[in-house]
Amino acid sequence: MNTLDRARAHLKAHPMALDAALAAAVLACMVAGSFVDPHSQDGVTWTLRTPDLASLTLITLGATALVFRRRAPRTVLAVTGTLSVIESVTGDDPRAPVAMSAVIALYTVASTTDRPTTWRIGLLTMTVLTGAAMLAGPLPWYAQENLAIFAWTGMAATAGDAIRSRRAFVDAIKERAERAERTREEEARRRVAEERLRIARDLHDVVAHHIALVNVQAGVAAHVMDKRPDQAKEALSHVREASRSALNELRATVGLLRQSGDPEAPTEPAPGLDLLDELVGTFRSAGLQVEVARADQGTTLPAAVDLAAYRVIQEALTNVQKHAGNSAKAEVSVVRVGPHMEITVLDNGTPDDTAPNSGGGHGLLGMRERVTALRGTLTTGPRYGGGFRVHAILPVRTRTATGEPGETV
């Protein structure tokens, strides 16, 4: 930072010092102007004269008042205007330029207030100073000095209003830029949170489903290992297949977290209802009796809806497998009803005391979040007479960010 920049920074940090410097400069100009006599015996020539003490006193008071122009702009204008009127009434010809301090004060008022107030105060100041000079001064009303007061006060009010307008415009631009930046940051944080929540749901669904199957098949293998090794071998084969599927889905999900410079993420499509038979087969191989009824022929769902429907069925059957008892049966129905797809999973089981406790699991919460995010509804609860019911209603159409219907499916 050079010397000039340091001086500017110091003046911005100490505005009164800047006002004191301005007051000193105005005082020097007014004192120098008071020694000049534009009217001599030889016509329009410039000669030196000696100003009287009263004029120098008014000049000094007017310049001193400018030191406080930022703290009390209207008071300073009233003081300097009064001093100018006194000089116009009592001063000799030529008058001392006391009105210069009033012009600076009027500019300060105009630059710190609103436009209507600027014009009211400006017109009042212009009328009072010009009227006093024309009516009570020693010169004719049409003298150049009187017209100069009219012109300078008008330009001061106009210049101050222009500076205020420009400052307000720049501040508005800065405020809009800051607001836009805050909006972008908030949107980025919101998107990150939504993506983290989506990945958390996917990880929960994948892990809960496959680990439940692995647990069941491993229990079967341990139970029949000694007496029926062939059945134990088949159960272990199912364990291997379930673990392989879990690893593949975990790899695809975690691949979304890779950075742009990392190896290419998996491009396999997300699971949907077209894989429902395969999903149900994994539960049947684990010993769960599942019946499927579908009435959605010819319906192609958006990817998000298709994935949500698949995950709802997967999580519901996983809960049946884990908590409904060994003899439970499940029924899955997928039905197109008008503009909606209804997914229902029922079971007739009773809670098994030996089954793992769900504790603080997030399965039902994850299902509800998935369905709600697509503007659907989810109802869950026990059935009359025993069992549990999961019922999801998903829209066959998605909506854009603006709320307009998306592509017909």
Side-chain angles (χ1 to χ4, degrees), residues 217 277 279-292:
Q217 295 292 350
D277 293 338
L279 174 66
V280 171
T282 61
F283 285 99
R284 287 171 176 165
S285 64
L288 178 64
Q289 302 181 48
V290 184
E291 296 181 1
V292 179

Side-chain angles (χ1 to χ4, degrees), residues 68 83 174 254 274 343:
F68 307 97
L83 296 174
K174 291 181 179 179
V254 175
D274 56 335
I343 310 294

Side-chain angles (χ1 to χ4, degrees), residues 244-255:
R244 181 184 297 113
S245 298
L247 289 175
N248 290 336
E249 292 198 41
L250 284 174
R251 187 179 299 112
T253 303
V254 175

